[in-house]
Amino acid sequence: MTPDIRIRLLTPADAGALIRLAEVDNLFDEDPAVEPSGPLTYDAATSFLGDPSVLFWLAEANGEMLGFLHCCIQRRRNAGPWAELLLMEMGTHAQWRRLGIGRSMILAMEEWMRHRGIEEVWVPANLYATGFYEKCGFAKDEGEILVKALG
Ligand SMILES: CC(C)(COP(=O)(O)OP(=O)(O)OC[C@H]1O[C@@H](n2cnc3c(N)ncnc32)[C@H](O)[C@@H]1OP(=O)(O)O)[C@@H](O)C(=O)NCCC(=O)NCCS
Protein backbone atom coordinates (compact mmCIF):
# COMPACT_ATOMS: atom_id res chain seq x y z
CA MET A 1 0.00 0.00 0.00
CA THR A 2 1.25 3.48 -0.80
CA PRO A 3 1.78 5.44 2.43
CA ASP A 4 -0.28 8.57 1.88
CA ILE A 5 -3.17 7.31 -0.23
CA ARG A 6 -6.39 9.25 0.24
CA ILE A 7 -9.82 8.00 -0.81
CA ARG A 8 -12.57 10.59 -1.04
CA LEU A 9 -16.14 10.75 -2.25
CA LEU A 10 -16.35 13.34 -5.01
CA THR A 11 -18.89 16.21 -5.04
CA PRO A 12 -19.91 18.51 -7.93
CA ALA A 13 -17.01 20.77 -6.88
CA ASP A 14 -14.67 17.99 -8.04
CA ALA A 15 -15.76 18.17 -11.69
CA GLY A 16 -12.17 18.99 -12.67
CA ALA A 17 -10.94 15.66 -11.28
CA LEU A 18 -13.57 13.75 -13.26
CA ILE A 19 -12.61 15.64 -16.43
CA ARG A 20 -8.92 14.79 -15.88
CA LEU A 21 -9.81 11.15 -15.25
CA ALA A 22 -11.78 10.94 -18.52
CA GLU A 23 -8.60 11.90 -20.40
CA VAL A 24 -6.66 8.92 -19.02
CA ASP A 25 -9.30 6.41 -17.96
CA ASN A 26 -7.89 3.81 -20.37
CA LEU A 27 -5.08 3.38 -17.82
CA PHE A 28 -7.69 2.10 -15.36
CA ASP A 29 -9.09 -0.43 -17.81
CA GLU A 30 -8.30 -4.13 -18.01
CA ASP A 31 -6.50 -3.28 -21.28
CA PRO A 32 -4.77 0.13 -20.93
CA ALA A 33 -4.07 0.09 -24.70
CA VAL A 34 -7.70 1.06 -25.43
CA GLU A 35 -8.60 4.70 -26.08
CA PRO A 36 -9.69 6.92 -23.17
CA SER A 37 -13.44 7.50 -22.97
CA GLY A 38 -13.00 11.03 -24.32
CA PRO A 39 -13.38 14.66 -23.30
CA LEU A 40 -16.03 15.43 -20.71
CA THR A 41 -17.60 18.87 -20.48
CA TYR A 42 -17.67 20.73 -17.19
CA ASP A 43 -21.48 20.69 -17.23
CA ALA A 44 -21.59 16.93 -17.82
CA ALA A 45 -19.12 16.27 -15.00
CA THR A 46 -20.97 18.57 -12.58
CA SER A 47 -24.32 17.05 -13.46
CA PHE A 48 -22.98 13.50 -12.99
CA LEU A 49 -21.43 14.25 -9.59
CA GLY A 50 -24.54 16.16 -8.50
CA ASP A 51 -26.84 13.23 -9.20
CA PRO A 52 -28.05 11.96 -5.80
CA SER A 53 -27.95 8.35 -7.02
CA VAL A 54 -24.25 8.58 -7.96
CA LEU A 55 -21.38 7.67 -5.63
CA PHE A 56 -17.89 8.21 -6.99
CA TRP A 57 -14.78 7.59 -4.91
CA LEU A 58 -11.34 8.64 -6.07
CA ALA A 59 -8.09 7.26 -4.65
CA GLU A 60 -5.14 9.66 -4.87
CA ALA A 61 -1.60 10.01 -3.60
CA ASN A 62 0.56 13.10 -4.05
CA GLY A 63 -1.97 14.56 -6.49
CA GLU A 64 -1.90 11.45 -8.70
CA MET A 65 -5.10 9.54 -9.45
CA LEU A 66 -4.60 5.89 -8.48
CA GLY A 67 -8.08 4.45 -8.58
CA PHE A 68 -11.79 5.09 -8.78
CA LEU A 69 -14.99 3.36 -7.76
CA HIS A 70 -18.41 4.28 -9.13
CA CYS A 71 -21.64 3.02 -7.57
CA CYS A 72 -25.30 3.68 -8.13
CA ILE A 73 -27.76 3.88 -5.21
CA GLN A 74 -30.67 1.64 -6.09
CA ARG A 75 -33.90 2.14 -4.08
CA ARG A 76 -35.65 -1.02 -2.97
CA ARG A 77 -39.41 -1.39 -3.34
CA ASN A 78 -40.04 -3.80 -0.47
CA ALA A 79 -39.49 -4.09 3.30
CA GLY A 80 -35.95 -4.07 4.63
CA PRO A 81 -33.07 -1.72 3.87
CA TRP A 82 -34.14 1.33 1.88
CA ALA A 83 -31.58 0.77 -0.87
CA GLU A 84 -28.77 -1.38 -2.18
CA LEU A 85 -25.71 -0.44 -4.20
CA LEU A 86 -24.85 -1.39 -7.73
CA LEU A 87 -21.11 -1.25 -8.28
CA MET A 88 -21.02 0.10 -11.83
CA GLU A 89 -17.32 0.43 -12.46
CA MET A 90 -14.00 0.54 -10.72
CA GLY A 91 -10.38 0.59 -11.71
CA THR A 92 -6.89 0.88 -10.29
CA HIS A 93 -4.22 2.57 -12.40
CA ALA A 94 -2.36 -0.18 -14.28
CA GLN A 95 0.93 0.75 -12.58
CA TRP A 96 -0.59 0.57 -9.11
CA ARG A 97 -2.42 -2.76 -9.16
CA ARG A 98 -2.04 -5.49 -6.52
CA LEU A 99 -1.04 -2.97 -3.87
CA GLY A 100 -4.30 -2.96 -1.96
CA ILE A 101 -5.84 0.14 -3.57
CA GLY A 102 -8.88 -1.69 -4.97
CA ARG A 103 -9.58 -3.31 -1.61
CA SER A 104 -9.21 0.05 0.16
CA MET A 105 -11.80 1.58 -2.16
CA ILE A 106 -14.17 -1.32 -1.49
CA LEU A 107 -13.67 -0.76 2.28
CA ALA A 108 -14.48 2.95 1.85
CA MET A 109 -17.68 1.96 0.04
CA GLU A 110 -18.57 -0.53 2.79
CA GLU A 111 -18.04 2.10 5.50
CA TRP A 112 -20.38 4.42 3.60
CA MET A 113 -22.97 1.58 3.37
CA ARG A 114 -22.77 0.77 7.09
CA HIS A 115 -23.41 4.38 8.07
CA ARG A 116 -26.55 4.44 5.91
CA GLY A 117 -28.11 1.07 6.69
CA ILE A 118 -27.38 -0.42 3.27
CA GLU A 119 -26.61 -4.13 3.46
CA GLU A 120 -25.99 -5.31 -0.09
CA VAL A 121 -23.86 -4.36 -3.06
CA TRP A 122 -24.04 -6.01 -6.46
CA VAL A 123 -21.45 -6.00 -9.21
CA PRO A 124 -21.72 -7.15 -12.82
CA ALA A 125 -18.07 -8.25 -12.85
CA ASN A 126 -15.89 -8.94 -15.83
CA LEU A 127 -13.99 -12.24 -15.74
CA TYR A 128 -10.66 -10.47 -15.21
CA ALA A 129 -11.87 -8.97 -11.94
CA THR A 130 -13.91 -11.86 -10.50
CA GLY A 131 -11.03 -13.13 -8.35
CA PHE A 132 -10.51 -9.65 -6.94
CA TYR A 133 -14.15 -9.34 -5.93
CA GLU A 134 -14.09 -12.79 -4.33
CA LYS A 135 -11.04 -11.73 -2.30
CA CYS A 136 -13.10 -8.76 -1.16
CA GLY A 137 -15.92 -11.02 0.06
CA PHE A 138 -18.28 -11.01 -2.93
CA ALA A 139 -19.90 -14.33 -3.89
CA LYS A 140 -21.47 -15.55 -7.11
CA ASP A 141 -25.26 -15.34 -7.20
CA GLU A 142 -27.60 -17.47 -9.24
CA GLY A 143 -28.73 -16.20 -12.62
CA GLU A 144 -26.92 -14.30 -15.32
CA ILE A 145 -26.55 -10.67 -16.24
CA LEU A 146 -27.98 -9.84 -19.66
CA VAL A 147 -27.69 -6.64 -21.61
CA LYS A 148 -29.53 -5.22 -24.62
CA ALA A 149 -28.12 -2.42 -26.74
CA LEU A 150 -30.72 -0.59 -28.83
CA GLY A 151 -29.30 -0.51 -32.33
C1 LIG B 1 -9.80 -5.42 -10.47
C2 LIG B 1 -8.92 -4.25 -9.95
C3 LIG B 1 -9.83 -3.04 -9.66
C4 LIG B 1 -8.22 -4.70 -8.66
O1 LIG B 1 -7.57 -3.58 -8.09
P1 LIG B 1 -6.21 -3.73 -7.24
O2 LIG B 1 -5.94 -2.38 -6.66
O3 LIG B 1 -5.16 -4.34 -8.07
O4 LIG B 1 -6.66 -4.76 -6.12
P2 LIG B 1 -5.98 -5.04 -4.68
O5 LIG B 1 -4.52 -4.84 -4.79
O6 LIG B 1 -6.69 -4.27 -3.63
O7 LIG B 1 -6.28 -6.60 -4.52
C5 LIG B 1 -7.01 -7.17 -3.42
C6 LIG B 1 -6.84 -8.68 -3.49
O8 LIG B 1 -7.38 -9.15 -4.73
C7 LIG B 1 -6.36 -9.82 -5.48
N1 LIG B 1 -6.55 -9.46 -6.90
C8 LIG B 1 -6.40 -8.24 -7.45
N2 LIG B 1 -6.71 -8.28 -8.76
C9 LIG B 1 -7.04 -9.56 -9.03
C10 LIG B 1 -7.44 -10.21 -10.21
N3 LIG B 1 -7.55 -9.55 -11.38
N4 LIG B 1 -7.71 -11.55 -10.14
C11 LIG B 1 -7.60 -12.21 -8.97
N5 LIG B 1 -7.23 -11.62 -7.80
C12 LIG B 1 -6.95 -10.31 -7.85
C13 LIG B 1 -5.06 -9.28 -4.94
O9 LIG B 1 -3.99 -10.18 -5.16
C14 LIG B 1 -5.38 -9.12 -3.47
O10 LIG B 1 -5.34 -10.39 -2.84
P3 LIG B 1 -4.66 -10.59 -1.37
O11 LIG B 1 -5.55 -9.86 -0.44
O12 LIG B 1 -4.66 -12.06 -1.17
O13 LIG B 1 -3.31 -9.97 -1.45
C15 LIG B 1 -7.80 -3.88 -10.97
O14 LIG B 1 -7.13 -5.03 -11.40
C16 LIG B 1 -8.30 -3.15 -12.21
O15 LIG B 1 -8.39 -1.93 -12.23
N6 LIG B 1 -8.64 -3.90 -13.28
C17 LIG B 1 -9.04 -3.29 -14.54
C18 LIG B 1 -10.44 -2.76 -14.49
C19 LIG B 1 -11.42 -3.81 -14.02
O16 LIG B 1 -11.37 -4.97 -14.37
N7 LIG B 1 -12.37 -3.34 -13.18
C20 LIG B 1 -13.45 -4.15 -12.69
C21 LIG B 1 -14.61 -4.03 -13.62
S1 LIG B 1 -15.96 -5.09 -13.16
Side-chain angles (χ1 to χ4, degrees), residues 1 25-32 66-68 87-94 96-106 123-136:
M1 169 58 74
D25 56 6
N26 56 311
L27 302 177
F28 297 77
D29 196 273
E30 176 183 344
D31 175 10
L66 305 186
F68 73 89
L87 198 167
M88 301 292 294
E89 190 186 12
M90 72 178 293
T92 298
H93 189 294
W96 293 90
R97 289 185 190 156
R98 306 268 180 160
L99 292 170
I101 293 168
R103 188 194 292 277
S104 297
M105 293 192 293
I106 294 284
V123 61
N126 62 28
L127 287 178
Y128 174 81
T130 305
F132 162 75
Y133 288 117
E134 287 176 338
K135 284 274 172 104
C136 291

Side-chain angles (χ1 to χ4, degrees), residues 6-142:
R6 179 175 170 230
I7 298 172
R8 62 191 176 105
L9 194 55
L10 298 191
T11 72
D14 297 305
L18 201 68
I19 290 167
R20 286 202 313 280
L21 179 65
E23 290 163 4
V24 294
D25 56 6
N26 56 311
L27 302 177
F28 297 77
D29 196 273
E30 176 183 344
D31 175 10
V34 299
E35 291 294 314
S37 61
L40 194 61
T41 66
Y42 179 81
D43 284 352
T46 308
S47 164
F48 172 79
L49 292 173
D51 186 325
S53 72
V54 166
L55 296 169
F56 199 97
W57 284 272
L58 189 64
E60 300 161 299
N62 304 319
E64 190 181 346
M65 293 183 286
L66 305 186
F68 73 89
L69 169 53
H70 167 202
C71 288
C72 175
I73 302 173
Q74 185 67 49
R75 289 296 299 261
R76 295 179 74 249
R77 137 191 104 70
N78 44 10
W82 64 282
E84 55 199 16
L85 292 195
L86 183 58
L87 198 167
M88 301 292 294
E89 190 186 12
M90 72 178 293
T92 298
H93 189 294
Q95 289 175 1
W96 293 90
R97 289 185 190 156
R98 306 268 180 160
L99 292 170
I101 293 168
R103 188 194 292 277
S104 297
M105 293 192 293
I106 294 284
L107 290 174
M109 174 196 74
E110 290 177 6
E111 191 184 345
W112 189 96
M113 290 170 67
R114 275 195 199 90
H115 278 95
R116 285 155 186 87
I118 295 182
E119 295 176 2
E120 275 192 344
V121 51
W122 298 79
V123 61
N126 62 28
L127 287 178
Y128 174 81
T130 305
F132 162 75
Y133 288 117
E134 287 176 338
K135 284 274 172 104
C136 291
F138 287 71
K140 289 196 174 116
D141 195 49
E142 54 193 37

